[in-house]
Amino acid sequence: MFRKLKDALREKILSVNPENYVGVQFWREKIYYSLSLTLVILGLIAYIPSVVVSVRNNLWDVVVIDTLVYIFILLLFFLKKSSYSFRVYGLLLVVFLLGVSLLVFLGPVGAGWVWLFAFPVFASILKGFRSAVFCIVINSLVLSLLGYLIYSNNLNGFLITKYNLESWTIVSVNFICLNGLVSIPIAVLLKALEVTLEEEKKIKALLKEEQRILNIRNNDLNKTNKDLDNFVYTASHDLRSPISNVEGLLNVLSHEIEGLNNKEVNELVRLMKVSIDKFKNTIQSLTEVSKVQRSEPDEYYEEINVREVFEDVRFNLSNLIHQYQPLITVDFREDKIRLSKKDFASILHNLLSNAIKYNDPKRPCEVYISTEETDGFFILSVSDNGLGMRPDFKEKIFKMFKRLHDHVEGTGIGLYIIKRIVENHGGSIEVESELGKGSVFKIFLKS
């Protein structure tokens, strides 16, 4: 039973539901509930000895006041359906009347000053600046009235008459000053907090709206990109048949004019074949790009042997290696990785072929390939002593169809494909290069 009561109180006072949170007012209601609960619990503890002492001293007025106040506090606590303002003003009225009554009946030996001091403090917390000032004014008027009644001897028989007019004036003035020094800053602080929370609420609403618009635009952009990918994929496949037909017709034409020995015609046919080959390479590149953009890498993860993939790539590049005779050095300190074998082979193939093709003719071609694992990343590094590049070209080289050198055959999509593959696998790529000295490409993949 007590655990259920404790859980209920904790839920009511300490729990915060973001959906019901409406700024300072939310916390004011929490504070009101905690104050009223404290008054119910501690008030009972104070009520019993107060009544006992008052009965023994025949202070029946105090007994009646304490009883009525405690009953009213209980009513305010259990009237949950009443408006917040009604409950707060009721609580403030109880505190005020209790303070005045105790001050009149008990004078300096009672807690009247404490309750009157709490009157504007509670108002500043529960209602705000205007209510705090109003309560301070009420306290000033009541203390002034009591001072007049003391001076005119109209309160004979009450313990408040232990004050004379001079002492009463000094105590009252200091009390009001201290009351204002505490209550008003609290009200100002809460007002500033309320303004801040309202601004925060507006900013959050604005950010939420901006996020909604951004999501819509992002969805539209994703749809557009998907449509473009589908177009590239479809176009690259649909163009294969016409270009194959043109190539076939050109071969037939070459065979028919083979005996003409017309150098100009033969040269034109040769140029047409070169153009068709370039066109076929472009179509093949578009197909590779569309495959990379449409792929789901997580479906093809497997543990692969880096050295075996390297040997396959070197075999596939045997013609290029035979042409340039590069010195290829490998250092596979980490020779296992979970990845798509096709994707890793594509990365290594493009980096190695670029390192060989873009060599510096002034010196022998040297390529160094290494792997290692550091901080949870598998790092593939390919360095060369080739042509290198200017620092401002480092980002441009990863754009589709971007080429820095025209003296070597290529489509300009190799590095673009590498970047897409690496990013699809949650990795990154870095490049260090110096013009005339060479380049270093580092691939970071989650191990």
Side-chain angles (χ1 to χ4, degrees), residues 173-374:
V173 170
N174 283 276
F175 174 84
I176 293 299
C177 290
L178 187 60
N179 216 190
L181 287 174
V182 174
S183 304
I184 292 178
I186 291 176
V188 172
L189 179 62
L190 289 176
K191 183 62 179 178
L193 181 60
E194 185 174 14
V195 172
T196 302
L197 290 175
E198 286 298 324
E199 290 297 320
E200 182 183 0
K201 186 177 179 181
K202 292 179 182 178
I203 293 173
K204 284 183 177 179
L206 182 62
L207 289 175
K208 187 176 181 181
E209 178 63 18
E210 292 292 334
Q211 184 65 40
R212 186 187 68 83
I213 296 174
L214 184 61
N215 288 337
I216 292 175
R217 292 178 178 175
N218 188 52
N219 291 334
D220 292 341
L221 183 60
N222 287 335
K223 185 177 181 300
T224 302
N225 286 338
K226 188 175 181 180
D227 291 341
L228 288 173
D229 290 343
N230 290 334
F231 171 77
V232 171
Y233 183 79
T234 303
S236 62
H237 280 73
D238 291 348
L239 288 174
R240 285 178 180 270
S241 180
I243 197 63
S244 296
N245 292 336
V246 172
E247 185 179 25
L249 292 173
L250 185 59
N251 290 333
V252 173
L253 179 61
S254 299
H255 180 72
E256 292 294 330
I257 64 174
E258 189 174 352
L260 295 179
N261 293 323
N262 190 320
K263 292 183 179 180
E264 292 183 0
V265 173
N266 290 335
E267 179 63 17
L268 288 174
V269 171
R270 187 189 68 80
L271 292 176
M272 290 173 68
K273 287 184 177 181
V274 170
S275 298
I276 288 176
D277 289 338
K278 288 183 177 180
F279 192 31
K280 288 172 63 178
N281 290 336
T282 302
I283 292 175
Q284 181 61 33
S285 298
L286 289 174
T287 303
E288 292 297 324
V289 169
S290 65
K291 285 181 180 179
V292 171
Q293 293 174 338
R294 296 160 63 95
S295 65
E296 297 291 339
D298 291 344
E299 299 178 3
Y300 306 102
Y301 274 26
E302 58 179 307
E303 185 174 90
I304 58 176
N305 187 298
V306 175
R307 191 174 296 276
E308 289 180 1
V309 175
F310 167 73
E311 293 298 335
D312 291 341
V313 169
R314 183 160 63 175
F315 177 77
N316 293 332
L317 294 175
S318 56
N319 290 336
L320 191 67
I321 293 173
H322 177 74
Q323 178 182 353
Y324 290 100
Q325 296 295 314
L327 174 62
I328 302 176
T329 306
V330 298
D331 181 15
F332 296 138
R333 281 169 277 178
E334 180 62 42
D335 61 354
K336 293 285 193 295
I337 182 175
R338 285 194 59 82
L339 198 69
S340 163
K341 186 174 183 179
K342 174 178 68 67
D343 287 348
F344 187 76
S346 179
I347 293 171
L348 191 56
H349 183 279
N350 280 291
L351 289 179
L352 181 56
S353 63
N354 284 350
I356 297 173
K357 287 190 296 184
Y358 298 105
N359 67 88
D360 191 333
K362 298 178 181 177
R363 54 179 175 265
C365 177
E366 296 180 4
V367 181
Y368 177 74
I369 304 174
S370 66
T371 59
E372 60 180 326
E373 186 173 355
T374 304

